[in-house]
Amino acid sequence: MKKLILFSAILLVGAFQVQAQEDDAVMMDSLSEVVVTANRINLPFKENSRTINIITSSHIKNSAAVNVADLLQQVAGVDIRRRGTGGSQADLYIRGGGFDQTLVLIDGVKMDDPQTGHHTMNAALPLEVIERIEIIKGPAARVFGQNAFTGAINIITKKSLNNSVSLNVEAGSFDQLNATVTAGVDKENSSHIIHVGRVTSEGYRNNSDYDNGNYFLKSTFNKNAQPIVMTASFLERNFGAENFYTTNPTFNEYEETQNSLLAFSTTFKKNNLKIQPRIYWKRNQDLFLLRRNDPSFFRNMHISNKIGMETNASYASKLGITGFGVELSKIYLRSNNLGNRNRFMTNVFLEHRFSVAENRLDITPGLALTYFSDFKFRAFPGLDIGYSLTNNFKVYGNIGYTYRIPTYTDLFYNDPVTNGNANLEPEEAFAQELGLKYTTPTINASIAVFNRDADNLIDYIRNDVTEDVFVATNITEVNTKGLELDAAYNFKFKDYIQTLSVGYAFLDDNILDQNEELSRYSLNTLKHQYTTRLSTQLFKNVRQNIIYKYAERTTGQTYNVWDASLAIKVKQAEFTITASNIFDADYIESGFVPMPPSNVLFGLRYNFK
């Protein structure tokens, strides 16, 4: 592990010493040109004073990933704990936070679910319609509100596909069979993106089959005057959930989820003022059976709806850029286990970016005020500071407070071994971060250290080891600290662009010192995480990718996983081979579910222009 860390450090230092003339020779999805839209103040990537990772369209194409969960696993500091293949269920963690503490957005629309954070990744769209993914690490409550406790992930969809149709068929191990159609239609005053896909498998172990459907529509109307964007998605997951939540050999668990979104937005611009209003409706449905063929034995059915409207704005003046926004939303939950619940929320956001010292120093204080009908008022202040040592080299730091109110599962869930607690208090934390980043078209490198002091974290605890029932509880203070390093180098060989990227994350907290034998969910955090991706091209129409992932968890488990892909392009057709867990590593990411052995997926994509 020490050698891996040393290699990462050498690459980061060496990146700063590469001659500048290479910047002119290599232009591959230059992060210098990417404008981060996750904030109310939209800024070029290298001007942001936070730790932000950008997964560009080229990175997605060369990732050897087949869904968003697999893709995010390649980012240091992001822990995706999957329960099998196909993205049927995966929990999302950033910097050691819980799966309830990370927010996912689709084009800025918050996809949080009041039932449980287990459904966060249900909103993840198919890769074919994604332009890029913005990963904001650290407390982001003053930008997004209470669910962004440890970070946020904003999935940005493509704007258009320029009158094209793409067909994709894949087949492979475990009787995997995937088929998708993605089409783009451009008209004089409108444009449309349509995606339909189905992903199926018989499973790699008992009761691990799945049948998932993906449907997506994005339309831009009146684009020659005042464009109005409509985004609609419906994502359905039907899967065997063997040992997802229990170890009882007599159970045969099964789950069905549906996640849908309908949103309308537009943008008004006048001089230095930009206003972006949006209305949306989000729905999630979750059916769980403890015995797949006997619904009467134990059945949970939850349906949540969220209706919201928001307006975000920014104004540029001689004093800097002011960002402000307001959001109103209403949540409804209908559940046979959690009861019928509703909540009204109001969020008000304000931040201002000062630029001084010939624009080398930026200072951005901000504040979010939130009202919950059941938890009253909360405030999330924060401050970002950055200083550009050179045009490409920046030092930055930020501090901020963050909260998370309990989910309805935390508050009201009840079964023979797990009980909620209606008296829970919101989680809260104060976080600090200090980092350096270097950004050119050839090289992107960053290193950051962070600390988070949290109070009232929610965990499921039993009083002693003789008890079988775990109760949702606000545990004592928890300190989390860590380090993250990312570096990517784009270079040319034989006139083709090659990419080498590495990432390392170290995390240390004191949760295990407090309740290791009494906790149900606080275990299994990543302590060391190392990722490497080598994307190469030696011939005109052939590209290959190798991905290496190392993990050491707090439970003592360590594992090394290798993935690879090969793409051969012949005119309008592309043949792909994707191999996962090549060396057949034996490991568990979440709970009691062993991950799949080595497997392969063959694909054919044909593009009609």
Side-chain angles (χ1 to χ4, degrees), residues 268-333:
F268 299 97
K269 292 182 180 180
K270 185 175 182 180
N271 299 326
N272 295 328
L273 177 64
K274 182 174 71 172
I275 302 176
Q276 297 174 294
R278 177 189 295 123
I279 59 174
Y280 62 92
W281 166 53
K282 177 194 171 296
R283 180 182 185 275
N284 193 84
Q285 178 174 305
D286 176 32
L287 168 67
F288 174 76
L289 303 177
L290 198 55
R291 288 182 175 167
R292 184 170 186 163
N293 299 317
D294 185 7
S296 63
F297 178 72
F298 185 91
R299 175 184 181 271
N300 277 338
M301 181 69 170
H302 318 280
I303 300 175
S304 64
N305 285 275
K306 181 182 179 183
I307 301 172
M309 58 183 298
E310 62 179 310
T311 299
N312 297 306
S314 63
Y315 180 75
S317 66
K318 294 181 180 179
L319 297 177
I321 305 175
T322 303
F324 49 97
V326 60
E327 176 189 13
L328 305 174
S329 60
K330 182 76 173 183
I331 288 173
Y332 302 89
L333 177 71

Side-chain angles (χ1 to χ4, degrees), residues 96-98 101 149 404 424-429 452-461 473-480 511 522:
Q101 296 176 338
F149 192 89
R404 180 186 78 85
L424 289 173
E425 294 293 326
E427 299 177 329
E428 53 187 77
R452 183 172 67 245
D453 296 302
D455 294 324
N456 291 329
L457 288 187
I458 298 171
D459 190 15
Y460 287 79
I461 302 293
T473 307
N474 290 113
I475 62 177
T476 57
E477 297 180 0
V478 175
N479 173 258
T480 303
I511 291 180
S522 288

Side-chain angles (χ1 to χ4, degrees), residues 69 96 112-113 149 198 247 260 265 268 285 335-336 364 375 384 398 437 493 505 516 600:
D112 55 300
D113 187 82
F149 192 89
R198 188 175 177 188
T247 56
S260 54
S265 63
F268 299 97
Q285 178 174 305
S335 167
N336 67 303
T364 309
F375 286 94
D384 301 340
N398 53 74
K437 62 181 176 180
F493 180 72
E516 180 175 2
V600 65

Side-chain angles (χ1 to χ4, degrees), residues 3-75:
K3 292 181 179 178
L4 294 177
I5 300 172
L6 179 60
F7 174 73
S8 299
I10 292 173
L11 181 61
L12 178 64
V13 174
F16 298 143
Q17 300 175 347
V18 174
Q19 295 182 352
Q21 57 262 33
E22 290 189 356
D23 292 355
D24 299 326
V26 179
M27 293 294 291
M28 180 180 177
D29 275 356
S30 171
L31 290 181
S32 304
E33 308 302 322
V34 173
V35 175
V36 178
T37 59
N39 301 315
R40 281 163 181 79
I41 301 175
N42 296 341
L43 293 169
F45 171 79
K46 70 178 183 179
E47 294 183 20
N48 268 276
S49 296
R50 297 185 67 91
T51 298
I52 299 178
N53 293 89
I54 305 294
I55 304 177
T56 66
S57 57
S58 290
H59 294 160
I60 293 173
K61 185 176 181 180
N62 297 321
S63 65
V66 295
N67 54 59
V68 171
D70 297 343
L71 183 66
L72 292 176
Q73 271 213 330
Q74 301 174 19
V75 179

Side-chain angles (χ1 to χ4, degrees), residues 432-447:
Q432 316 92 46
E433 177 183 38
L434 182 64
L436 297 166
K437 62 181 176 180
Y438 180 80
T439 308
T440 71
T442 303
I443 300 163
N444 175 48
S446 67
I447 186 169

Side-chain angles (χ1 to χ4, degrees), residues 497-509:
I497 295 176
Q498 326 290 328
T499 301
L500 173 64
S501 63
V502 298
Y504 170 72
F506 166 76
L507 189 72
D508 182 47
D509 62 40

